[in-house]
Amino acid sequence: MADLDALLGIEDKPEEPVQEAKPAGGEATKITISADVLKQLAEAEAARAEKLGSAASSSEVQSRVNDAMERIVEQAKRMAEQGEGKSDGSTLGEEAVRKELDNLLSALGASVKGVDPEDLKRIKEQVFGATTFWVTETRPLAMQSLELGVAVRGNLRGKREVVFKEVCDKVAAMFGDKYVVRLVEDPEAALEELQMGGGSSDGAAPEPRVMFEILPSAAAQPTPTAGWQRAAAAVLLVLTLGSTLQFGLAANIGLLPKETLLWLANPANLNSDLLPPGLETYDPLPFLSSTGNVFLVTLLPQLMHEVAHAVVAGTRGIKIAPSLLIPNSQLGTFGSVTQLKSLVRSRTDLFDFSAAALVAGGATSLALFIAGLVASHGGSAAEPGLLPVPSQLFQGSLLLGSLAKLGLGSEALSNAQVYVSPLLVGGWCGLVTTALNCLPVGNLDGGRAMLSAFGRNALAVSSLLSYVGLGLGLLGSSLALPFGLYVLICQRTAEQYLQDEVSGVSERRRAIAGALIAFAVLTLIPMAPEVADVVAVGSPGNFI
């Protein structure tokens, strides 16, 4: 018991002479244990548990540790009060202290424990089997956020989707929401087959070898939405409204009198308190009305994008965080960052979640763009409700510039400027924003669609090509640098919270993914001067 005394801080008094009787109420031991030490120990364990993905909160861990330590101290006091001569009582006291120490270790260990060995044994015996998945090996996971899990390797004995559903249902029936089951490709098995020259006899691509991952729910699920994320979403919403309003004002600046524009073009006049010339009798109502129209139609595609995300997430049981809108002065917004706050069950669900938002935003923008082409004047004369834009703008997109030529005519686009409807401006911005988010890179909606339709290897290749296109300015022109930096900082990591990473999507969805990528490339590639000259869009000498 000497080691236990040292642990608890129990100091024995020097032995008294044998002939002197010990007072009945005298102290045989002195127990000193600091409350600060208990608190620090509990807080340290709680912090370690939280870092490792434990579901227990800091207060729960601290409470369990404090209770266990207090019981140990009480048992030690009782042992001291029983006296030195009662060997039976001392033995019982030692056993009681040992029991409480075990409870303490359980309290400390519960916060860092992954898959319980007994639970894993039950899973191997009662969930997996000869008709589902024959287990050949289990090993701890060594991934960044999944270090508490177990990888189960073996041979699949049934249809992949059916076996996965059966395994998930059985684990949920046995343990509730304690564990999460993931289905991933087994890279070692694939390498072994490649080395052995494995493959189908008809030359078709072999089915990927799979393995299961058993993870504690707290380690597998995304972190819940924090208060600062909601605050950041609100701040970014306000900034995006401001950037869109600024864009609306800039788009309508051509409606101001010519002498006012010339006066404002002189930097020396910007600090003047005088009223700019030309505004004495100017009616600002058309300017403000057109600014408001541009503001609304520019935000409409993004609104439909977010609505589509929310609808699909609700129907597929996907939890999402508040969208973080990204303001931009050239388009009003670059889109948004929509984080997942739960596991997505399949690649099909992830594809539908991302593609639905892209299609909703793109279809809304296309409708606005076509309506704007119909309502636009197509000439150089001003008309109420139209705003002048440089014809060079239409050189910024091969696809949209060609559509504008069909709608407005080559003669109109050969002028220095053309009067168009605010609907066309909002549709143009929405289509460009949608095309940027269709790029198959990182965690953009386009990247999620690529991951779902073609897998992680295809996403890695397409991400590299997208970065090259943005870095060289081949995609997005003047938008390439700011959007590329945004992706690198906020969206470069591919989606991780996918429960079934192996089962693919239908051919129809793969075709939609290919169409989205083609739309992005054709929209973001600017017209070369030779092409602009052939189709008579703007001045070919001014290449955007």
Side-chain angles (χ1 to χ4, degrees):
M1 295 298 294
D3 294 336
L4 177 61
D5 293 344
L7 173 65
L8 299 176
I10 301 176
E11 301 176 358
D12 291 331
K13 281 191 171 183
E15 295 185 358
E16 299 291 337
V18 177
Q19 65 273 16
E20 296 183 6
K22 187 184 296 183
E27 292 184 2
T29 56
K30 179 182 178 182
I31 301 174
T32 58
I33 183 165
S34 172
D36 292 336
V37 172
L38 285 176
K39 182 177 180 181
Q40 293 174 5
L41 175 62
E43 291 177 349
E45 288 300 323
R48 183 170 61 165
E50 183 177 355
K51 181 179 180 181
L52 292 176
S54 172
S57 64
S58 174
S59 60
E60 291 174 347
V61 175
Q62 182 172 342
S63 177
R64 290 201 301 267
V65 172
N66 286 338
D67 292 343
M69 293 297 290
E70 288 175 0
R71 288 194 298 268
I72 292 175
V73 172
E74 290 299 325
Q75 290 291 345
K77 288 181 179 180
R78 292 174 187 172
M79 289 174 59
E81 293 173 354
Q82 288 174 355
E84 299 294 336
K86 298 179 181 180
S87 58
D88 294 340
S90 178
T91 302
L92 293 175
E94 290 178 7
E95 293 178 355
V97 171
R98 288 194 185 97
K99 183 177 180 181
E100 294 299 337
L101 281 174
D102 290 339
N103 293 336
L104 174 61
L105 293 176
S106 299
L108 297 179
S111 60
V112 297
K113 187 164 130 182
V115 179
D116 187 276
E118 292 298 324
D119 293 345
L120 180 60
K121 181 179 179 181
R122 291 181 59 193
I123 291 174
K124 291 171 61 178
E125 293 176 351
Q126 303 178 29
V127 176
F128 299 111
T131 60
T132 55
F133 188 80
W134 184 258
V135 178
T136 60
E137 179 187 7
T138 60
R139 61 174 65 169
L141 285 171
M143 299 174 66
Q144 293 178 354
S145 60
L146 307 178
E147 67 271 22
L148 300 180
V150 174
V152 182
R153 302 184 66 212
N155 300 314
L156 195 63
R157 298 299 180 87
K159 191 175 180 181
R160 185 171 55 230
E161 294 83 355
V162 176
V163 171
F164 178 61
K165 183 178 185 305
E166 182 178 347
V167 170
C168 291
D169 292 343
K170 287 183 177 180
V171 171
M174 293 171 61
F175 304 103
D177 59 355
K178 183 178 181 181
Y179 296 117
V180 169
V181 181
R182 296 182 72 235
L183 183 67
V184 299
E185 291 191 27
D186 189 342
E188 295 185 14
L191 182 60
E192 293 171 1
E193 285 193 352
L194 183 62
Q195 293 174 347
M196 297 175 60
S200 60
S201 57
D202 58 358
E207 287 289 327
R209 295 284 300 274
V210 301
M211 68 179 183
F212 289 86
E213 294 177 351
I214 313 297
L215 310 162
S217 295
Q221 298 283 357
T223 56
T225 303
W228 68 267
Q229 290 177 304
R230 301 183 187 278
V235 171
L236 288 173
L237 173 60
V238 173
L239 293 177
T240 301
L241 294 177
S243 66
T244 307
L245 179 60
Q246 177 191 5
F247 171 77
L249 293 170
N252 287 275
I253 197 171
L255 296 179
L256 296 176
K258 185 176 181 180
E259 55 268 33
T260 303
L261 296 177
L262 293 175
W263 186 87
L264 293 175
N266 186 359
N269 296 328
L270 297 181
N271 295 326
S272 174
D273 295 334
L274 300 176
L275 183 68
L279 296 182
E280 297 83 358
T281 60
Y282 177 73
D283 182 11
L285 185 58
F287 175 83
L288 297 178
S289 176
S290 182
T291 298
N293 292 334
V294 172
F295 173 80
L296 293 176
V297 297
T298 303
L299 287 177
L300 182 59
Q302 187 61 38
L303 175 61
M304 299 307 297
H305 182 102
E306 301 303 331
V307 169
H309 267 324
V311 170
V312 176
T315 58
R316 301 302 174 89
I318 302 173
K319 297 179 181 179
I320 57 177
S323 296
L324 304 175
L325 295 171
I326 308 300
N328 176 260
S329 60
Q330 293 176 272
L331 296 173
T333 176
F334 267 154
S336 64
V337 177
T338 305
Q339 296 178 324
L340 301 181
K341 291 303 177 180
S342 67
L343 280 177
V344 181
R345 184 167 182 82
S346 66
R347 285 164 60 172
T348 297
D349 288 351
L350 181 62
F351 179 87
D352 292 347
F353 173 77
S354 56
L358 294 174
V359 171
T364 303
S365 301
L366 182 60
L368 292 173
F369 186 77
I370 295 176
L373 286 176
V374 174
S376 298
H377 180 265
S380 58
E383 282 192 8
L386 302 182
L387 61 150
V389 298
S391 60
Q392 300 173 10
L393 170 70
F394 298 98
Q395 296 183 25
S397 170
L398 178 61
L399 177 62
L400 302 185
S402 300
L403 293 177
K405 178 188 178 247
L406 294 176
L408 300 177
S410 300
E411 182 179 354
L413 294 180
S414 62
N415 298 318
Q417 66 179 15
V418 58
Y419 282 82
V420 299
S421 168
L423 297 176
L424 187 145
V425 176
W428 177 286
C429 294
L431 287 170
V432 173
T433 299
T434 301
L436 289 170
N437 284 276
C438 282
L439 288 175
V441 55
N443 206 25
L444 295 175
D445 283 326
R448 287 169 171 167
M450 171 63 77
L451 168 63
S452 304
F454 303 103
R456 291 193 181 275
N457 292 335
L459 176 60
V461 175
S462 64
S463 295
L464 176 61
L465 295 177
S466 298
Y467 284 130
V468 171
L470 291 171
L472 297 178
L474 301 177
L475 298 174
S477 189
S478 60
L479 298 170
L481 179 59
F483 188 79
L485 291 176
Y486 152 64
V487 173
L488 282 173
I489 295 173
C490 302
Q491 299 277 57
R492 66 179 180 275
T493 304
E495 188 59 66
Q496 300 293 328
Y497 298 108
L498 186 58
Q499 195 169 359
D500 179 1
E501 290 200 7
V502 183
S503 301
V505 301
S506 64
E507 289 300 324
R508 181 173 61 87
R509 288 181 171 86
R510 292 166 68 95
I512 293 174
L516 290 174
I517 296 172
F519 162 74
V521 173
L522 292 176
T523 302
L524 297 178
I525 289 182
M527 284 187 178
E530 296 80 6
V531 177
D533 189 21
V534 170
V535 300
V537 175
S539 172
N542 296 318
F543 177 62
I544 298 181

